[in-house]
Amino acid sequence: MGSATHTLDSTLVLGIESSCDETAVALVRGDRTIVAQAIASQEAEHAPYGGVVPEIAARAHAERLAPMLEKVMAEAGVTLAEVDAIAATAGPGLIGGVMVGLVSAKALAMAAHTPLIAVNHLEGHALSPRLADAELGFPYLLLLVSGGHCQILAVEGVGRYRRLATTIDDALGEAFDKTAKILGLGYPGGPAVERLAREGDPKAVPLPRPLKGSSEPHFSFAGLKSAVLRAKESGAHSDADICASFQQAAVECLIDRLARALNTAGPFPALVVAGGVAANKAIRAALEGFAQRHAMRFTAPPLQLCTDNAAMIAWAGCERLALEGADFAGDPLDFVARPRWPLDPAAEPVRGAGVKA
Ligand code: KG4
Ligand code: ZN
């Protein structure tokens, strides 16, 4: 309690993340120290199904969260009374899992008389580069690429996001996962596809670059995925060549759409990538080159901050506290978990059925 007496640097926030298949808890200080954290992946539970099963995920979060909270607090040697706020992912995501984390956070907040901060998971990703990079100021051009989202955002400040592009069907992480599934590489697919791509020829398989050069700003990856399926079924290509060619097509789509966003909404001093797909080294390298060519600073969070984690949720809480100041009493305890929660509510809806935010 007592955020009134704290500066940003000494603020201590407990973060909880449970929106997909990672249960995560972290204690983060306003000076960017991750005091303690724990992440439990559910890969083993979902692997037999080739994707995340919401019911299994919610149950696993419910089983794991309490012991993980105790472990993190004990490791840090901190009591709830010393925590300035409890930040939990309140959406978007799989609703069962989100509810497990949010309800736990509400209970803790109520018991300890500590403010609750209901964090948008996407805001966690969007601000995560600032946790890793103290020099990164606003504004920046953000490519947010994860299993559920593929967006380009102008990040103008905490809580100020302008969506410049989104996917009209699949997210890029989803396309990686589906490619892996088609090739029988297991789940999660991103790292497996990246690994095999290193052994393949990126020019070997002719794959489409959906919406490349299009005057509309968005992404589309469903056609690419279908082309991967046809390439596999043709029997004419090695899996490594398919992976390398798929990754190359994805990179070209990303760069093309970023160039369009920069042309229409730029310039920006910095390009930032966040979300699970940002762990991909080929994508990082291409983005770094793009940033260099456009005289932009390039920031990518370290790998463990790219994939889902609670440090980014706690950090988003720190940013909210710093922004709203000493009077911030927290979000209402009846804040409802949101399966969908766009970062930019003013963004125009796009055509396409698979749009998640
Ligand atoms: O951000 P994240 O952990 O969860 C969501 O909020 O979706 O992202 C997970 C996604 C998965 O689709 C996974 O396959 C992808 O990120 N991913 C990768 C890599 N590592 C994780 N995609 C491509 N290359 C990687 N190395
Ligand atoms: Zn995520």
Side-chain angles (χ1 to χ4, degrees), residues 168-300:
I168 61 168
D169 41 55
D170 294 352
L172 184 52
E174 203 176 347
F176 268 94
D177 292 334
K178 286 176 178 169
T179 294
K181 199 168 180 178
I182 290 165
L183 302 179
L185 301 179
Y187 175 85
V193 170
E194 180 178 17
R195 222 173 296 123
L196 198 52
R198 272 185 230 128
E199 296 161 27
D201 175 1
K203 296 198 184 79
V205 187
L207 294 174
R209 274 81 173 135
L211 293 188
K212 187 177 172 186
S214 160
S215 61
E216 72 171 301
H218 300 302
F219 295 98
S220 166
F221 292 108
L224 181 53
K225 168 196 66 189
S226 311
V228 164
L229 179 61
R230 286 193 298 275
K232 173 68 180 171
E233 285 174 350
S234 76
H237 306 285
S238 73
D239 287 355
D241 281 351
I242 294 176
C243 286
S245 301
F246 163 79
Q247 198 168 269
Q248 179 63 29
V251 161
E252 284 179 31
C253 291
L254 291 178
I255 296 298
D256 179 73
R257 306 288 71 196
L258 276 170
R260 191 190 180 283
L262 195 58
N263 272 338
T264 54
F268 291 89
L271 173 68
V272 171
V273 63
V277 183
N280 186 291
K281 293 199 186 64
I283 290 176
R284 276 184 186 236
L287 295 174
E288 190 162 14
F290 174 84
Q292 258 169 19
R293 289 195 297 283
H294 292 88
M296 297 162 91
R297 178 196 168 86
F298 177 67
T299 298

Side-chain angles (χ1 to χ4, degrees), residues 17 19-20 22 92 121-122 124-125 144-149 274-276 306-309 312:
E17 159 60 34
S19 66
C20 191
E22 256 95 27
H121 178 84
L122 300 176
H125 279 302
L144 176 54
V145 272
S146 71
H149 301 278
C306 285
T307 45
D308 284 351
N309 65 88
M312 70 180 190

